[in-house]
Amino acid sequence: LMLGKTNLSEWANFRGYASSSGRSSLGGQTKNGFDPAYNPCGSSSGSGAAVAAALASAAIGTETDGSITCPAAINGIVGFKPTVGLVSRTGIIPISATQDTAGPMTRTVGDAARIMTVIAGPDPLDPATAAIPTSLDLDFETAFDGATLQGKRLGVFDFPVGGGVNALFEAERTRLEAAGATLIDITIDQSSFFPDEYTVLLFEFKAGLNSYLADHPGSPPTLADLIAFNEANASEAMPYFGQEVFIEAEATTDLTDAAYLAAKQAAFQAAGPDGIDAALAADDLDALIAPTMRVAWETDLEDGDPGFGGAASPLPAVAGYPHLTVPMGLANGLPAGMSFIGTAWSDREILALGHAYESLPRP
């Protein structure tokens, strides 16, 4: 039963520098579904808030980098960003063909698996789905049969988060080990690919958006026209933050540009083969875990979101690999998430690990 559309960060938070997550000039400011005094994160803000507030059993979010997992963790629910290509992007307003994907936001990992069974699969209108392995079982709930943490080897990449999240994560490490998991501390430098990732997003946003707009008569036909529209309607479209990112994207050339191609290869190599895959292979790991990110903050429309500090999303987002966040409890009274990250097409295994973790008895 489809209930409706949710409010989200305008242009998936890819328009201006000082944006407030969850704000749209059409729908206004979304509130946190766990505690409306706080921000819901974004860009799938309404999806996270609606599930957290029990307005819906599940919602669909979209992620380029953190837009499913951030609002899921901040609102205290489950969020799953699948391997890019496992779920069709047809109809989704694009940022990046390399990183964009839809995914479920739910109250349990089981519900996330059920939604994935419905939405995953090939689509001739999205060439990325042609990469789905023919052997991959798309009934994701069957992966839960015998799901356990016993004997699992998990690589821990921790980072300063603050707000009590790191202390909570340390306590959860103890629970994972008591359940039979072996935890190995690892180091991954996520900062190395940030500039290349941003270059890729700028180039792909302009190309993808211009193509999308061309297929939707009645919309401004190009990104340049959107920029002009926003300038002409600044008091309504941009009362709090601007469109610096739009302008940067419009200044790019096309997807044959050598700088774009080099950045795309370098970013993927650093996050995927040299990042997640290398870490998994080095210590014979089943998955990586980390605190998903900080807890919620109070909305500030004038200055925008605060710096997020550490977050687990960039590594799997840039690699295009699966990332699951599961509530691990409250830090200073606000929800925090535990991230499970794997290699490409290990979605079933990651969901099963998250289910096993979620099923651990609470003290």
Side-chain angles (χ1 to χ4, degrees), residues 9-15 43 62-65 67 92-101 197-198 200-209 245-246 249:
S9 306
E10 188 147 345
W11 294 106
N13 262 355
F14 203 71
R15 193 195 76 189
S43 62
T62 63
E63 175 160 333
T64 304
D65 187 337
S67 289
I92 295 173
I93 297 175
I95 290 180
S96 166
T98 298
Q99 295 181 204
D100 288 350
T101 183
E197 177 191 17
Y198 190 55
V200 171
L201 300 190
L202 290 175
F203 272 85
E204 292 188 348
F205 179 66
K206 179 182 179 181
L209 187 63
V245 178
F246 267 22

PDB file of all heavy atoms in Angstrom, residues 9-15 43 62-65 67 92-101 197-198 200-209 245-246 249:
ATOM      1  N   SER A   9      15.708  16.686   1.131  1.00  0.00           N
ATOM      2  CA  SER A   9      16.614  17.811   0.932  1.00  0.00           C
ATOM      3  C   SER A   9      16.574  18.218  -0.537  1.00  0.00           C
ATOM      4  O   SER A   9      16.711  17.379  -1.423  1.00  0.00           O
ATOM      5  CB  SER A   9      18.049  17.414   1.300  1.00  0.00           C
ATOM      6  OG  SER A   9      18.104  16.894   2.606  1.00  0.00           O
ATOM      7  N   GLU A  10      16.384  19.507  -0.781  1.00  0.00           N
ATOM      8  CA  GLU A  10      16.252  19.981  -2.157  1.00  0.00           C
ATOM      9  C   GLU A  10      17.458  19.575  -3.004  1.00  0.00           C
ATOM     10  O   GLU A  10      18.609  19.765  -2.622  1.00  0.00           O
ATOM     11  CB  GLU A  10      16.101  21.510  -2.167  1.00  0.00           C
ATOM     12  CG  GLU A  10      15.770  22.058  -3.528  1.00  0.00           C
ATOM     13  CD  GLU A  10      14.874  23.279  -3.450  1.00  0.00           C
ATOM     14  OE1 GLU A  10      14.285  23.528  -2.391  1.00  0.00           O
ATOM     15  OE2 GLU A  10      14.771  23.979  -4.466  1.00  0.00           O
ATOM     16  N   TRP A  11      17.165  18.968  -4.173  1.00  0.00           N
ATOM     17  CA  TRP A  11      18.200  18.484  -5.082  1.00  0.00           C
ATOM     18  C   TRP A  11      19.197  17.569  -4.367  1.00  0.00           C
ATOM     19  O   TRP A  11      20.391  17.581  -4.645  1.00  0.00           O
ATOM     20  CB  TRP A  11      18.907  19.640  -5.781  1.00  0.00           C
ATOM     21  CG  TRP A  11      18.002  20.382  -6.694  1.00  0.00           C
ATOM     22  CD1 TRP A  11      17.446  21.615  -6.489  1.00  0.00           C
ATOM     23  CD2 TRP A  11      17.483  19.923  -7.946  1.00  0.00           C
ATOM     24  NE1 TRP A  11      16.618  21.940  -7.526  1.00  0.00           N
ATOM     25  CE2 TRP A  11      16.622  20.930  -8.444  1.00  0.00           C
ATOM     26  CE3 TRP A  11      17.659  18.763  -8.706  1.00  0.00           C
ATOM     27  CZ2 TRP A  11      15.946  20.805  -9.663  1.00  0.00           C
ATOM     28  CZ3 TRP A  11      16.992  18.644  -9.905  1.00  0.00           C
ATOM     29  CH2 TRP A  11      16.147  19.648 -10.384  1.00  0.00           C
ATOM     30  N   ALA A  12      18.653  16.785  -3.419  1.00  0.00           N
ATOM     31  CA  ALA A  12      19.470  15.789  -2.706  1.00  0.00           C
ATOM     32  C   ALA A  12      20.703  16.420  -2.062  1.00  0.00           C
ATOM     33  O   ALA A  12      21.766  15.808  -1.988  1.00  0.00           O
ATOM     34  CB  ALA A  12      19.872  14.647  -3.638  1.00  0.00           C
ATOM     35  N   ASN A  13      20.529  17.663  -1.577  1.00  0.00           N
ATOM     36  CA  ASN A  13      21.635  18.397  -0.941  1.00  0.00           C
ATOM     37  C   ASN A  13      22.809  18.628  -1.878  1.00  0.00           C
ATOM     38  O   ASN A  13      23.952  18.760  -1.449  1.00  0.00           O
ATOM     39  CB  ASN A  13      22.129  17.671   0.322  1.00  0.00           C
ATOM     40  CG  ASN A  13      21.525  18.251   1.589  1.00  0.00           C
ATOM     41  OD1 ASN A  13      20.814  19.253   1.532  1.00  0.00           O
ATOM     42  ND2 ASN A  13      21.797  17.630   2.711  1.00  0.00           N
ATOM     43  N   PHE A  14      22.530  18.683  -3.178  1.00  0.00           N
ATOM     44  CA  PHE A  14      23.613  18.896  -4.148  1.00  0.00           C
ATOM     45  C   PHE A  14      23.342  20.172  -4.941  1.00  0.00           C
ATOM     46  O   PHE A  14      23.378  20.191  -6.160  1.00  0.00           O
ATOM     47  CB  PHE A  14      23.730  17.689  -5.087  1.00  0.00           C
ATOM     48  CG  PHE A  14      25.086  17.556  -5.727  1.00  0.00           C
ATOM     49  CD1 PHE A  14      26.182  17.175  -4.978  1.00  0.00           C
ATOM     50  CD2 PHE A  14      25.271  17.804  -7.076  1.00  0.00           C
ATOM     51  CE1 PHE A  14      27.432  17.050  -5.566  1.00  0.00           C
ATOM     52  CE2 PHE A  14      26.510  17.683  -7.674  1.00  0.00           C
ATOM     53  CZ  PHE A  14      27.607  17.307  -6.912  1.00  0.00           C
ATOM     54  N   ARG A  15      23.054  21.254  -4.204  1.00  0.00           N
ATOM     55  CA  ARG A  15      22.807  22.535  -4.857  1.00  0.00           C
ATOM     56  C   ARG A  15      23.686  23.643  -4.313  1.00  0.00           C
ATOM     57  O   ARG A  15      24.267  24.414  -5.074  1.00  0.00           O
ATOM     58  CB  ARG A  15      21.341  22.947  -4.702  1.00  0.00           C
ATOM     59  CG  ARG A  15      20.926  24.096  -5.616  1.00  0.00           C
ATOM     60  CD  ARG A  15      19.601  24.715  -5.198  1.00  0.00           C
ATOM     61  NE  ARG A  15      19.737  25.574  -4.021  1.00  0.00           N
ATOM     62  CZ  ARG A  15      18.711  26.096  -3.366  1.00  0.00           C
ATOM     63  NH1 ARG A  15      17.468  25.811  -3.742  1.00  0.00           N
ATOM     64  NH2 ARG A  15      18.917  26.867  -2.314  1.00  0.00           N
ATOM     65  N   SER A  43      19.877  12.996   2.153  1.00  0.00           N
ATOM     66  CA  SER A  43      18.774  13.745   1.580  1.00  0.00           C
ATOM     67  C   SER A  43      17.413  13.053   1.686  1.00  0.00           C
ATOM     68  O   SER A  43      16.377  13.692   1.498  1.00  0.00           O
ATOM     69  CB  SER A  43      19.054  14.029   0.105  1.00  0.00           C
ATOM     70  OG  SER A  43      19.170  12.826  -0.636  1.00  0.00           O
ATOM     71  N   THR A  62      17.029   7.269  -1.593  1.00  0.00           N
ATOM     72  CA  THR A  62      18.071   7.179  -2.617  1.00  0.00           C
ATOM     73  C   THR A  62      19.367   7.714  -2.032  1.00  0.00           C
ATOM     74  O   THR A  62      19.351   8.626  -1.202  1.00  0.00           O
ATOM     75  CB  THR A  62      17.716   7.966  -3.892  1.00  0.00           C
ATOM     76  OG1 THR A  62      17.598   9.360  -3.578  1.00  0.00           O
ATOM     77  CG2 THR A  62      16.418   7.466  -4.498  1.00  0.00           C
ATOM     78  N   GLU A  63      20.463   7.119  -2.446  1.00  0.00           N
ATOM     79  CA  GLU A  63      21.760   7.538  -1.913  1.00  0.00           C
ATOM     80  C   GLU A  63      22.785   7.699  -3.013  1.00  0.00           C
ATOM     81  O   GLU A  63      22.894   6.857  -3.900  1.00  0.00           O
ATOM     82  CB  GLU A  63      22.276   6.518  -0.884  1.00  0.00           C
ATOM     83  CG  GLU A  63      23.696   6.845  -0.379  1.00  0.00           C
ATOM     84  CD  GLU A  63      24.032   6.173   0.942  1.00  0.00           C
ATOM     85  OE1 GLU A  63      23.120   5.887   1.724  1.00  0.00           O
ATOM     86  OE2 GLU A  63      25.230   5.939   1.180  1.00  0.00           O
ATOM     87  N   THR A  64      23.511   8.815  -2.932  1.00  0.00           N
ATOM     88  CA  THR A  64      24.749   8.994  -3.682  1.00  0.00           C
ATOM     89  C   THR A  64      25.922   8.824  -2.730  1.00  0.00           C
ATOM     90  O   THR A  64      26.876   8.119  -3.034  1.00  0.00           O
ATOM     91  CB  THR A  64      24.797  10.381  -4.348  1.00  0.00           C
ATOM     92  OG1 THR A  64      23.654  10.546  -5.180  1.00  0.00           O
ATOM     93  CG2 THR A  64      26.059  10.543  -5.175  1.00  0.00           C
ATOM     94  N   ASP A  65      25.840   9.458  -1.573  1.00  0.00           N
ATOM     95  CA  ASP A  65      26.828   9.266  -0.506  1.00  0.00           C
ATOM     96  C   ASP A  65      26.177   9.651   0.822  1.00  0.00           C
ATOM     97  O   ASP A  65      26.152  10.827   1.186  1.00  0.00           O
ATOM     98  CB  ASP A  65      28.078  10.108  -0.759  1.00  0.00           C
ATOM     99  CG  ASP A  65      29.201   9.807   0.228  1.00  0.00           C
ATOM    100  OD1 ASP A  65      28.914   9.308   1.330  1.00  0.00           O
ATOM    101  OD2 ASP A  65      30.379  10.092  -0.098  1.00  0.00           O
ATOM    102  N   SER A  67      22.905   9.377   1.761  1.00  0.00           N
ATOM    103  CA  SER A  67      21.534   9.891   1.779  1.00  0.00           C
ATOM    104  C   SER A  67      20.488   8.869   2.203  1.00  0.00           C
ATOM    105  O   SER A  67      19.335   9.233   2.422  1.00  0.00           O
ATOM    106  CB  SER A  67      21.162  10.479   0.413  1.00  0.00           C
ATOM    107  OG  SER A  67      21.870  11.683   0.200  1.00  0.00           O
ATOM    108  N   ILE A  92      14.558   8.094 -11.278  1.00  0.00           N
ATOM    109  CA  ILE A  92      15.164   8.846 -10.182  1.00  0.00           C
ATOM    110  C   ILE A  92      15.952  10.024 -10.751  1.00  0.00           C
ATOM    111  O   ILE A  92      16.766   9.855 -11.665  1.00  0.00           O
ATOM    112  CB  ILE A  92      16.101   7.944  -9.347  1.00  0.00           C
ATOM    113  CG1 ILE A  92      15.287   6.855  -8.647  1.00  0.00           C
ATOM    114  CG2 ILE A  92      16.889   8.757  -8.322  1.00  0.00           C
ATOM    115  CD1 ILE A  92      16.138   5.820  -7.929  1.00  0.00           C
ATOM    116  N   ILE A  93      15.710  11.224 -10.238  1.00  0.00           N
ATOM    117  CA  ILE A  93      16.497  12.384 -10.661  1.00  0.00           C
ATOM    118  C   ILE A  93      17.949  12.132 -10.255  1.00  0.00           C
ATOM    119  O   ILE A  93      18.246  11.890  -9.083  1.00  0.00           O
ATOM    120  CB  ILE A  93      15.968  13.677 -10.026  1.00  0.00           C
ATOM    121  CG1 ILE A  93      14.531  13.942 -10.495  1.00  0.00           C
ATOM    122  CG2 ILE A  93      16.857  14.867 -10.387  1.00  0.00           C
ATOM    123  CD1 ILE A  93      13.868  15.132  -9.837  1.00  0.00           C
ATOM    124  N   PRO A  94      18.881  12.176 -11.201  1.00  0.00           N
ATOM    125  CA  PRO A  94      20.235  11.690 -10.925  1.00  0.00           C
ATOM    126  C   PRO A  94      21.170  12.746 -10.332  1.00  0.00           C
ATOM    127  O   PRO A  94      21.010  13.940 -10.538  1.00  0.00           O
ATOM    128  CB  PRO A  94      20.731  11.285 -12.317  1.00  0.00           C
ATOM    129  CG  PRO A  94      20.057  12.289 -13.232  1.00  0.00           C
ATOM    130  CD  PRO A  94      18.701  12.531 -12.619  1.00  0.00           C
ATOM    131  N   ILE A  95      22.134  12.245  -9.564  1.00  0.00           N
ATOM    132  CA  ILE A  95      23.368  12.985  -9.296  1.00  0.00           C
ATOM    133  C   ILE A  95      24.501  12.282 -10.015  1.00  0.00           C
ATOM    134  O   ILE A  95      25.208  12.865 -10.816  1.00  0.00           O
ATOM    135  CB  ILE A  95      23.674  13.103  -7.793  1.00  0.00           C
ATOM    136  CG1 ILE A  95      22.681  14.033  -7.099  1.00  0.00           C
ATOM    137  CG2 ILE A  95      25.104  13.634  -7.582  1.00  0.00           C
ATOM    138  CD1 ILE A  95      22.923  14.186  -5.608  1.00  0.00           C
ATOM    139  N   SER A  96      24.656  10.982  -9.747  1.00  0.00           N
ATOM    140  CA  SER A  96      25.813  10.268 -10.259  1.00  0.00           C
ATOM    141  C   SER A  96      25.433   8.876 -10.730  1.00  0.00           C
ATOM    142  O   SER A  96      24.990   8.042  -9.926  1.00  0.00           O
ATOM    143  CB  SER A  96      26.889  10.158  -9.168  1.00  0.00           C
ATOM    144  OG  SER A  96      27.885   9.225  -9.512  1.00  0.00           O
ATOM    145  N   ALA A  97      25.647   8.595 -12.003  1.00  0.00           N
ATOM    146  CA  ALA A  97      25.402   7.253 -12.527  1.00  0.00           C
ATOM    147  C   ALA A  97      26.325   6.232 -11.885  1.00  0.00           C
ATOM    148  O   ALA A  97      25.997   5.049 -11.806  1.00  0.00           O
ATOM    149  CB  ALA A  97      25.586   7.243 -14.044  1.00  0.00           C
ATOM    150  N   THR A  98      27.475   6.688 -11.397  1.00  0.00           N
ATOM    151  CA  THR A  98      28.429   5.793 -10.758  1.00  0.00           C
ATOM    152  C   THR A  98      28.007   5.402  -9.352  1.00  0.00           C
ATOM    153  O   THR A  98      28.239   4.266  -8.922  1.00  0.00           O
ATOM    154  CB  THR A  98      29.817   6.463 -10.702  1.00  0.00           C
ATOM    155  OG1 THR A  98      30.262   6.717 -12.047  1.00  0.00           O
ATOM    156  CG2 THR A  98      30.840   5.591 -10.004  1.00  0.00           C
ATOM    157  N   GLN A  99      27.369   6.292  -8.605  1.00  0.00           N
ATOM    158  CA  GLN A  99      27.110   6.059  -7.196  1.00  0.00           C
ATOM    159  C   GLN A  99      25.635   5.983  -6.810  1.00  0.00           C
ATOM    160  O   GLN A  99      25.307   5.456  -5.746  1.00  0.00           O
ATOM    161  CB  GLN A  99      27.786   7.151  -6.348  1.00  0.00           C
ATOM    162  CG  GLN A  99      29.297   7.124  -6.424  1.00  0.00           C
ATOM    163  CD  GLN A  99      29.980   8.177  -5.566  1.00  0.00           C
ATOM    164  OE1 GLN A  99      31.107   8.573  -5.831  1.00  0.00           O
ATOM    165  NE2 GLN A  99      29.324   8.643  -4.523  1.00  0.00           N
ATOM    166  N   ASP A 100      24.730   6.492  -7.619  1.00  0.00           N
ATOM    167  CA  ASP A 100      23.316   6.548  -7.230  1.00  0.00           C
ATOM    168  C   ASP A 100      22.693   5.169  -7.093  1.00  0.00           C
ATOM    169  O   ASP A 100      22.919   4.279  -7.921  1.00  0.00           O
ATOM    170  CB  ASP A 100      22.506   7.313  -8.284  1.00  0.00           C
ATOM    171  CG  ASP A 100      22.758   8.802  -8.275  1.00  0.00           C
ATOM    172  OD1 ASP A 100      23.417   9.294  -7.352  1.00  0.00           O
ATOM    173  OD2 ASP A 100      22.291   9.478  -9.214  1.00  0.00           O
ATOM    174  N   THR A 101      21.863   4.989  -6.070  1.00  0.00           N
ATOM    175  CA  THR A 101      21.031   3.802  -5.946  1.00  0.00           C
ATOM    176  C   THR A 101      19.851   4.103  -5.037  1.00  0.00           C
ATOM    177  O   THR A 101      19.920   4.985  -4.182  1.00  0.00           O
ATOM    178  CB  THR A 101      21.810   2.605  -5.383  1.00  0.00           C
ATOM    179  OG1 THR A 101      20.954   1.448  -5.359  1.00  0.00           O
ATOM    180  CG2 THR A 101      22.314   2.850  -3.979  1.00  0.00           C
ATOM    181  N   GLU A 197      36.072  12.035  -5.884  1.00  0.00           N
ATOM    182  CA  GLU A 197      34.638  11.782  -5.817  1.00  0.00           C
ATOM    183  C   GLU A 197      33.857  13.037  -6.204  1.00  0.00           C
ATOM    184  O   GLU A 197      32.902  12.965  -7.002  1.00  0.00           O
ATOM    185  CB  GLU A 197      34.224  11.347  -4.410  1.00  0.00           C
ATOM    186  CG  GLU A 197      32.717  11.132  -4.285  1.00  0.00           C
ATOM    187  CD  GLU A 197      32.233  10.948  -2.848  1.00  0.00           C
ATOM    188  OE1 GLU A 197      32.979  11.293  -1.920  1.00  0.00           O
ATOM    189  OE2 GLU A 197      31.086  10.475  -2.672  1.00  0.00           O
ATOM    190  N   TYR A 198      34.236  14.175  -5.660  1.00  0.00           N
ATOM    191  CA  TYR A 198      33.509  15.410  -5.939  1.00  0.00           C
ATOM    192  C   TYR A 198      33.589  15.767  -7.421  1.00  0.00           C
ATOM    193  O   TYR A 198      32.599  16.201  -8.025  1.00  0.00           O
ATOM    194  CB  TYR A 198      34.062  16.545  -5.079  1.00  0.00           C
ATOM    195  CG  TYR A 198      33.221  17.799  -5.111  1.00  0.00           C
ATOM    196  CD1 TYR A 198      31.871  17.764  -4.788  1.00  0.00           C
ATOM    197  CD2 TYR A 198      33.773  19.033  -5.446  1.00  0.00           C
ATOM    198  CE1 TYR A 198      31.090  18.910  -4.798  1.00  0.00           C
ATOM    199  CE2 TYR A 198      33.008  20.188  -5.464  1.00  0.00           C
ATOM    200  CZ  TYR A 198      31.659  20.117  -5.146  1.00  0.00           C
ATOM    201  OH  TYR A 198      30.894  21.269  -5.173  1.00  0.00           O
ATOM    202  N   VAL A 200      33.842  13.646  -9.900  1.00  0.00           N
ATOM    203  CA  VAL A 200      32.928  12.723 -10.577  1.00  0.00           C
ATOM    204  C   VAL A 200      31.478  13.178 -10.428  1.00  0.00           C
ATOM    205  O   VAL A 200      30.713  13.189 -11.398  1.00  0.00           O
ATOM    206  CB  VAL A 200      33.109  11.295 -10.023  1.00  0.00           C
ATOM    207  CG1 VAL A 200      32.003  10.366 -10.563  1.00  0.00           C
ATOM    208  CG2 VAL A 200      34.477  10.745 -10.400  1.00  0.00           C
ATOM    209  N   LEU A 201      31.104  13.578  -9.224  1.00  0.00           N
ATOM    210  CA  LEU A 201      29.717  13.989  -8.995  1.00  0.00           C
ATOM    211  C   LEU A 201      29.362  15.224  -9.814  1.00  0.00           C
ATOM    212  O   LEU A 201      28.260  15.309 -10.383  1.00  0.00           O
ATOM    213  CB  LEU A 201      29.476  14.260  -7.508  1.00  0.00           C
ATOM    214  CG  LEU A 201      29.700  13.097  -6.538  1.00  0.00           C
ATOM    215  CD1 LEU A 201      29.183  13.459  -5.152  1.00  0.00           C
ATOM    216  CD2 LEU A 201      29.050  11.826  -7.028  1.00  0.00           C
ATOM    217  N   LEU A 202      30.265  16.193  -9.881  1.00  0.00           N
ATOM    218  CA  LEU A 202      29.983  17.409 -10.648  1.00  0.00           C
ATOM    219  C   LEU A 202      29.775  17.101 -12.128  1.00  0.00           C
ATOM    220  O   LEU A 202      28.807  17.577 -12.743  1.00  0.00           O
ATOM    221  CB  LEU A 202      31.129  18.414 -10.481  1.00  0.00           C
ATOM    222  CG  LEU A 202      31.286  19.067  -9.114  1.00  0.00           C
ATOM    223  CD1 LEU A 202      32.549  19.931  -9.088  1.00  0.00           C
ATOM    224  CD2 LEU A 202      30.066  19.920  -8.746  1.00  0.00           C
ATOM    225  N   PHE A 203      30.657  16.309 -12.695  1.00  0.00           N
ATOM    226  CA  PHE A 203      30.548  15.968 -14.120  1.00  0.00           C
ATOM    227  C   PHE A 203      29.282  15.153 -14.389  1.00  0.00           C
ATOM    228  O   PHE A 203      28.521  15.439 -15.328  1.00  0.00           O
ATOM    229  CB  PHE A 203      31.781  15.188 -14.579  1.00  0.00           C
ATOM    230  CG  PHE A 203      32.927  16.033 -15.050  1.00  0.00           C
ATOM    231  CD1 PHE A 203      33.843  16.542 -14.147  1.00  0.00           C
ATOM    232  CD2 PHE A 203      33.100  16.317 -16.397  1.00  0.00           C
ATOM    233  CE1 PHE A 203      34.912  17.323 -14.576  1.00  0.00           C
ATOM    234  CE2 PHE A 203      34.164  17.086 -16.841  1.00  0.00           C
ATOM    235  CZ  PHE A 203      35.081  17.603 -15.921  1.00  0.00           C
ATOM    236  N   GLU A 204      29.052  14.124 -13.570  1.00  0.00           N
ATOM    237  CA  GLU A 204      27.939  13.228 -13.834  1.00  0.00           C
ATOM    238  C   GLU A 204      26.592  13.895 -13.538  1.00  0.00           C
ATOM    239  O   GLU A 204      25.579  13.564 -14.168  1.00  0.00           O
ATOM    240  CB  GLU A 204      28.093  11.931 -13.039  1.00  0.00           C
ATOM    241  CG  GLU A 204      29.271  11.097 -13.535  1.00  0.00           C
ATOM    242  CD  GLU A 204      29.354   9.722 -12.909  1.00  0.00           C
ATOM    243  OE1 GLU A 204      28.651   9.455 -11.914  1.00  0.00           O
ATOM    244  OE2 GLU A 204      30.144   8.900 -13.421  1.00  0.00           O
ATOM    245  N   PHE A 205      26.574  14.815 -12.584  1.00  0.00           N
ATOM    246  CA  PHE A 205      25.331  15.518 -12.292  1.00  0.00           C
ATOM    247  C   PHE A 205      24.880  16.338 -13.493  1.00  0.00           C
ATOM    248  O   PHE A 205      23.700  16.280 -13.898  1.00  0.00           O
ATOM    249  CB  PHE A 205      25.512  16.425 -11.076  1.00  0.00           C
ATOM    250  CG  PHE A 205      24.283  17.217 -10.722  1.00  0.00           C
ATOM    251  CD1 PHE A 205      23.129  16.587 -10.281  1.00  0.00           C
ATOM    252  CD2 PHE A 205      24.266  18.604 -10.843  1.00  0.00           C
ATOM    253  CE1 PHE A 205      21.990  17.317  -9.952  1.00  0.00           C
ATOM    254  CE2 PHE A 205      23.137  19.336 -10.519  1.00  0.00           C
ATOM    255  CZ  PHE A 205      21.999  18.687 -10.070  1.00  0.00           C
ATOM    256  N   LYS A 206      25.775  17.102 -14.073  1.00  0.00           N
ATOM    257  CA  LYS A 206      25.392  17.914 -15.230  1.00  0.00           C
ATOM    258  C   LYS A 206      24.910  17.033 -16.378  1.00  0.00           C
ATOM    259  O   LYS A 206      23.837  17.280 -16.962  1.00  0.00           O
ATOM    260  CB  LYS A 206      26.574  18.773 -15.689  1.00  0.00           C
ATOM    261  CG  LYS A 206      26.256  19.629 -16.919  1.00  0.00           C
ATOM    262  CD  LYS A 206      27.465  20.431 -17.370  1.00  0.00           C
ATOM    263  CE  LYS A 206      27.161  21.267 -18.605  1.00  0.00           C
ATOM    264  NZ  LYS A 206      28.355  22.025 -19.058  1.00  0.00           N
ATOM    265  N   ALA A 207      25.669  15.979 -16.702  1.00  0.00           N
ATOM    266  CA  ALA A 207      25.295  15.111 -17.821  1.00  0.00           C
ATOM    267  C   ALA A 207      23.984  14.384 -17.539  1.00  0.00           C
ATOM    268  O   ALA A 207      23.082  14.331 -18.390  1.00  0.00           O
ATOM    269  CB  ALA A 207      26.410  14.102 -18.084  1.00  0.00           C
ATOM    270  N   GLY A 208      23.857  13.824 -16.336  1.00  0.00           N
ATOM    271  CA  GLY A 208      22.666  13.053 -16.005  1.00  0.00           C
ATOM    272  C   GLY A 208      21.428  13.913 -15.894  1.00  0.00           C
ATOM    273  O   GLY A 208      20.338  13.531 -16.353  1.00  0.00           O
ATOM    274  N   LEU A 209      21.567  15.081 -15.291  1.00  0.00           N
ATOM    275  CA  LEU A 209      20.411  15.952 -15.113  1.00  0.00           C
ATOM    276  C   LEU A 209      19.932  16.515 -16.440  1.00  0.00           C
ATOM    277  O   LEU A 209      18.722  16.571 -16.702  1.00  0.00           O
ATOM    278  CB  LEU A 209      20.735  17.086 -14.144  1.00  0.00           C
ATOM    279  CG  LEU A 209      19.544  17.965 -13.763  1.00  0.00           C
ATOM    280  CD1 LEU A 209      18.487  17.150 -13.026  1.00  0.00           C
ATOM    281  CD2 LEU A 209      19.993  19.144 -12.912  1.00  0.00           C
ATOM    282  N   VAL A 245      27.017  24.714  -5.876  1.00  0.00           N
ATOM    283  CA  VAL A 245      27.330  23.406  -6.454  1.00  0.00           C
ATOM    284  C   VAL A 245      26.757  23.307  -7.868  1.00  0.00           C
ATOM    285  O   VAL A 245      27.408  22.782  -8.782  1.00  0.00           O
ATOM    286  CB  VAL A 245      26.784  22.281  -5.562  1.00  0.00           C
ATOM    287  CG1 VAL A 245      27.071  20.917  -6.183  1.00  0.00           C
ATOM    288  CG2 VAL A 245      27.410  22.359  -4.167  1.00  0.00           C
ATOM    289  N   PHE A 246      25.550  23.827  -8.064  1.00  0.00           N
ATOM    290  CA  PHE A 246      24.978  23.875  -9.414  1.00  0.00           C
ATOM    291  C   PHE A 246      25.928  24.596 -10.374  1.00  0.00           C
ATOM    292  O   PHE A 246      26.166  24.141 -11.498  1.00  0.00           O
ATOM    293  CB  PHE A 246      23.645  24.631  -9.374  1.00  0.00           C
ATOM    294  CG  PHE A 246      22.439  23.760  -9.184  1.00  0.00           C
ATOM    295  CD1 PHE A 246      22.523  22.493  -8.627  1.00  0.00           C
ATOM    296  CD2 PHE A 246      21.176  24.229  -9.547  1.00  0.00           C
ATOM    297  CE1 PHE A 246      21.399  21.710  -8.448  1.00  0.00           C
ATOM    298  CE2 PHE A 246      20.050  23.452  -9.371  1.00  0.00           C
ATOM    299  CZ  PHE A 246      20.154  22.193  -8.828  1.00  0.00           C
ATOM    300  N   ALA A 249      28.961  22.542 -11.218  1.00  0.00           N
ATOM    301  CA  ALA A 249      28.630  21.455 -12.138  1.00  0.00           C
ATOM    302  C   ALA A 249      28.430  21.982 -13.558  1.00  0.00           C
ATOM    303  O   ALA A 249      28.883  21.370 -14.532  1.00  0.00           O
ATOM    304  CB  ALA A 249      27.373  20.738 -11.657  1.00  0.00           C
TER     305      ALA A 249
END
